[in-house]
Coordinates of all heavy atoms in Angstrom, one line a residue:
G156 N 132.4 122.9 84.5 CA 131.7 124.2 84.4 C 130.3 124.2 84.2 O 129.5 125.2 84.2
A157 N 129.7 123.0 84.1 CA 128.2 122.8 84.0 C 127.7 122.3 85.3 O 128.3 121.6 86.1 CB 128.0 121.8 82.8
E158 N 126.4 122.5 85.4 CA 125.6 122.0 86.5 C 125.2 120.5 86.2 O 124.7 120.3 85.2 CB 124.4 122.8 86.8 CG 123.6 122.5 88.1 CD 122.5 123.4 88.3 OE1 121.5 123.4 87.5 OE2 122.6 124.2 89.2
A159 N 125.6 119.7 87.2 CA 125.4 118.2 86.9 C 124.5 117.7 88.1 O 124.6 118.1 89.2 CB 126.6 117.4 86.9
I160 N 123.6 116.8 87.7 CA 122.7 116.0 88.7 C 122.8 114.6 88.3 O 122.7 114.1 87.2 CB 121.3 116.5 88.7 CG1 121.2 118.0 89.0 CG2 120.5 115.7 89.7 CD1 119.8 118.5 89.1
F161 N 123.1 113.7 89.4 CA 123.1 112.3 89.3 C 122.0 111.7 90.2 O 121.9 112.2 91.3 CB 124.5 111.7 89.6 CG 125.6 112.3 88.7 CD1 126.3 113.4 89.1 CD2 125.8 111.7 87.4 CE1 127.3 113.8 88.3 CE2 126.8 112.3 86.7 CZ 127.6 113.4 87.1
A162 N 121.3 110.7 89.7 CA 120.2 110.1 90.5 C 120.3 108.6 90.5 O 120.7 108.0 89.5 CB 118.9 110.6 89.9
I163 N 119.7 108.0 91.5 CA 119.6 106.6 91.7 C 118.4 106.2 92.5 O 118.1 107.1 93.4 CB 120.8 105.9 92.3 CG1 120.8 104.5 92.3 CG2 121.1 106.5 93.7 CD1 122.1 103.8 92.8
G164 N 117.6 105.2 92.1 CA 116.5 104.9 92.9 C 116.0 103.5 92.6 O 116.3 102.8 91.7
T165 N 115.0 103.1 93.5 CA 114.4 101.7 93.4 C 113.0 101.7 93.9 O 112.7 102.5 94.9 CB 115.3 100.7 94.0 OG1 114.7 99.4 93.8 CG2 115.3 100.9 95.5
I166 N 112.2 101.0 93.3 CA 110.8 100.6 93.9 C 110.8 99.1 93.9 O 111.1 98.4 93.0 CB 109.8 101.1 93.0 CG1 109.8 102.7 92.8 CG2 108.4 100.7 93.5 CD1 108.8 103.2 91.8
S167 N 110.5 98.6 95.1 CA 110.6 97.2 95.3 C 109.5 96.7 96.4 O 109.7 97.2 97.5 CB 112.0 96.7 95.6 OG 112.0 95.2 95.7
G168 N 108.6 95.9 96.0 CA 107.7 95.4 97.0 C 106.6 94.5 96.4 O 106.5 94.3 95.2
T169 N 105.6 94.1 97.2 CA 104.5 93.3 96.7 C 103.3 94.2 96.7 O 102.9 94.9 97.6 CB 104.2 92.1 97.7 OG1 105.4 91.4 97.7 CG2 103.1 91.3 97.2
Q170 N 102.6 94.2 95.5 CA 101.3 94.9 95.3 C 100.2 94.0 95.9 O 100.0 92.8 95.4 CB 101.1 95.1 93.9 CG 99.8 95.8 93.5 CD 99.9 97.3 93.6 OE1 100.5 97.9 92.8 NE2 99.1 97.9 94.6
Q171 N 99.4 94.5 96.8 CA 98.3 93.9 97.4 C 97.0 94.6 97.2 O 97.0 95.8 97.2 CB 98.5 93.5 98.8 CG 99.6 92.6 99.2 CD 99.7 92.3 100.6 OE1 98.7 92.5 101.3 NE2 100.9 91.8 101.0
V172 N 96.0 93.9 96.8 CA 94.6 94.5 96.6 C 93.7 93.8 97.5 O 93.4 92.7 97.4 CB 94.2 94.4 95.2 CG1 92.8 95.0 95.0 CG2 95.2 95.0 94.2
K173 N 93.2 94.6 98.5 CA 92.3 94.1 99.6 C 92.9 92.9 100.2 O 92.2 91.9 100.4 CB 90.9 93.8 98.9 CG 90.2 95.0 98.4 CD 88.8 94.7 97.8 CE 88.1 95.9 97.4 NZ 86.7 95.6 96.8
G174 N 94.2 92.9 100.5 CA 94.9 91.9 101.2 C 95.2 90.7 100.4 O 95.9 89.8 100.9
V175 N 95.0 90.7 99.1 CA 95.3 89.6 98.2 C 96.5 90.0 97.3 O 96.4 91.1 96.7 CB 94.2 89.1 97.2 CG1 94.5 88.1 96.3 CG2 92.9 88.8 98.2
V176 N 97.6 89.2 97.2 CA 98.7 89.5 96.4 C 98.4 89.6 94.9 O 97.9 88.6 94.4 CB 99.8 88.6 96.7 CG1 101.0 88.8 95.8 CG2 100.3 88.6 98.1
A177 N 98.6 90.7 94.3 CA 98.3 90.9 92.9 C 99.5 90.9 92.0 O 99.5 90.8 90.8 CB 97.5 92.2 92.6
G178 N 100.7 90.9 92.7 CA 102.0 90.9 91.9 C 103.1 91.7 92.6 O 102.8 92.4 93.5
E179 N 104.3 91.4 92.1 CA 105.4 92.1 92.8 C 105.9 93.2 91.8 O 105.9 93.1 90.6 CB 106.6 91.1 93.0 CG 107.8 91.8 93.6 CD 109.0 90.9 93.7 OE1 109.2 90.1 92.7 OE2 109.7 90.9 94.7
G180 N 106.3 94.4 92.3 CA 106.8 95.4 91.5 C 108.2 95.7 91.9 O 108.5 96.0 93.1
K181 N 109.1 95.6 91.0 CA 110.5 95.8 91.3 C 111.2 96.5 90.1 O 111.1 96.0 89.0 CB 111.2 94.4 91.6 CG 112.7 94.6 91.9 CD 113.4 93.3 92.2 CE 112.8 92.6 93.5 NZ 113.5 91.4 93.8
V182 N 111.8 97.7 90.4 CA 112.5 98.4 89.3 C 113.7 99.1 89.9 O 113.6 99.6 91.0 CB 111.5 99.3 88.5 CG1 111.0 100.4 89.4 CG2 112.2 99.8 87.3

């Protein structure tokens, strides 16, 4: 009888700054 919302997501890739790898971001 209640309104429900379920969510799923991901962020995944390599962070680059001016073409230089600065780190990977994955969550």
Side-chain angles (χ1 to χ4, degrees):
E158 187 177 70
I160 301 181
F161 301 96
I163 185 172
T165 184
I166 299 173
S167 181
T169 301
Q170 177 87 65
Q171 296 186 16
V172 179
K173 295 182 178 180
V175 178
V176 175
E179 183 185 40
K181 182 182 292 186
V182 65

